[in-house]
Amino acid sequence: MKQSGLKVVLLAAVVLTSALMVSFAQQTTSTEPKVLADGANAKLKHVENMHEVRFIEIFLAAREAKSGDMVAACYNTLFTSKGIPASKDTAPQTLVQGLDFAKMKKDYGVLGASLNGPKLWLPDWTDIDTGVEREFNGIKAIWVAQLNMGNNTSVGESTPYKPMKIARKSGLGWKKGNTVLLLDDAEGNTWIMKGFQLGLKPQYTYKEFVAAGQSQFKKLPSGWKFRVKTLAMDLNEKPENGMATIMPDEFFNVYDKTGPGMSNYKP
């Protein structure tokens, strides 16, 4: 299976569209955009019944005035005041296709505006800090994180199967009896798929991807394997010390590392 549509790149925790890749070295003003304060009064929110809910994330990136580092405010459609609709679609395709990222950059005074997804969320529940809610082309999305890019001045392409660290306090979980998608690496680590990539032009469904199994993977490193498992007990994840380890695969699906420091056990 071949993923088409917009090619995406990874910015620390999330996948962004490379068509919107920008250089951040151009910013010279010491005034930072108001959106970088959207998480100042964030409050913890618990959300249930999230498995296979369709969502997107929007990133507004700029240089932080105090540190001079690049950061990106992340807005997610899963956790808004509207809640999850009966359709399980928080980001309707027609509205997503109408997103104007050039206009976002101008409207919010940022250097970069980018898209992650559309994706399907695979955990059953999540505890997450949420901040200011904004609307993008009729799509409600709420602040859920600010990504630290350090001294990087541009967005680089993601490397499949390369682990990365991200500061994250949120907890999430999969309930007993549910099916999970796993990658076992050559070092004995197990990774669980958290976000299933649909993209703007889906080439296959989630069920088709699960049914195809490991045969569809063409770039798995030596000694790695893909498997599907039904959980015998609840799997709960909350990174110790607020630091998570994540990883993309060749299809731009996103995985979290399991086991010590990340989850209550390794499935």
Side-chain angles (χ1 to χ4, degrees), residues 54 89 91-99 118 139 198-202:
R54 175 186 156 107
D89 185 359
Q93 183 75 357
T94 54
L95 296 180
V96 175
Q97 289 175 332
L99 289 169
I139 301 174
L198 294 170
L200 290 174
K201 296 182 179 180

Side-chain angles (χ1 to χ4, degrees), residues 46-112:
H46 179 80
V47 182
E48 292 272 1
N49 302 316
M50 299 180 65
H51 183 64
E52 290 191 53
V53 175
R54 175 186 156 107
F55 74 100
I56 62 169
E57 288 179 324
I58 290 174
F59 301 89
L60 302 179
R63 193 173 295 282
E64 195 174 41
K66 183 177 179 180
S67 68
D69 291 343
M70 286 305 307
V71 294
C74 173
Y75 302 83
N76 192 302
T77 60
L78 284 169
F79 308 104
T80 70
S81 57
K82 294 177 63 176
I84 296 174
S87 65
K88 302 182 75 172
D89 185 359
T90 66
Q93 183 75 357
T94 54
L95 296 180
V96 175
Q97 289 175 332
L99 289 169
D100 187 336
F101 292 95
K103 186 176 185 298
M104 284 185 209
K105 287 171 60 178
K106 182 178 179 181
D107 289 348
Y108 294 105
V110 296
L111 295 173

Side-chain angles (χ1 to χ4, degrees), residues 217-253:
F217 288 82
K218 307 303 179 184
K219 300 178 182 179
L220 270 181
S222 177
W224 289 49
K225 68 177 182 179
F226 173 82
R227 59 190 171 98
V228 180
K229 181 177 181 176
T230 300
L231 293 177
M233 59 183 290
D234 290 354
L235 177 64
N236 300 321
E237 176 189 316
K238 187 170 185 179
E240 289 182 1
N241 303 317
M243 188 62 66
T245 306
I246 67 164
M247 179 186 67
D249 67 13
E250 63 205 72
F251 306 103
F252 309 113
N253 303 313

Side-chain angles (χ1 to χ4, degrees), residues 15 26 42 44 56 130 208 216 224 241 245:
V15 186
Q26 301 170 359
L44 187 67
I56 62 169
T130 59
E208 289 170 341
Q216 66 204 309
W224 289 49
N241 303 317
T245 306

Side-chain angles (χ1 to χ4, degrees), residues 11-60:
L11 170 58
V14 292
V15 186
L16 309 177
T17 54
S18 64
L20 301 168
M21 186 168 63
V22 296
S23 170
F24 299 113
Q26 301 170 359
Q27 185 173 357
T28 58
T29 179
S30 60
T31 302
E32 65 181 34
K34 291 182 179 180
V35 294
L36 296 191
D38 278 357
N41 298 308
K43 296 181 180 179
L44 187 67
K45 176 179 287 189
H46 179 80
V47 182
E48 292 272 1
N49 302 316
M50 299 180 65
H51 183 64
E52 290 191 53
V53 175
R54 175 186 156 107
F55 74 100
I56 62 169
E57 288 179 324
I58 290 174
F59 301 89
L60 302 179

Side-chain angles (χ1 to χ4, degrees), residues 169-183:
K169 298 179 181 179
S170 57
L172 48 88
W174 292 258
K175 295 181 179 180
K176 174 183 176 180
N178 280 5
T179 298
V180 295
L181 309 186
L182 306 170
L183 281 176

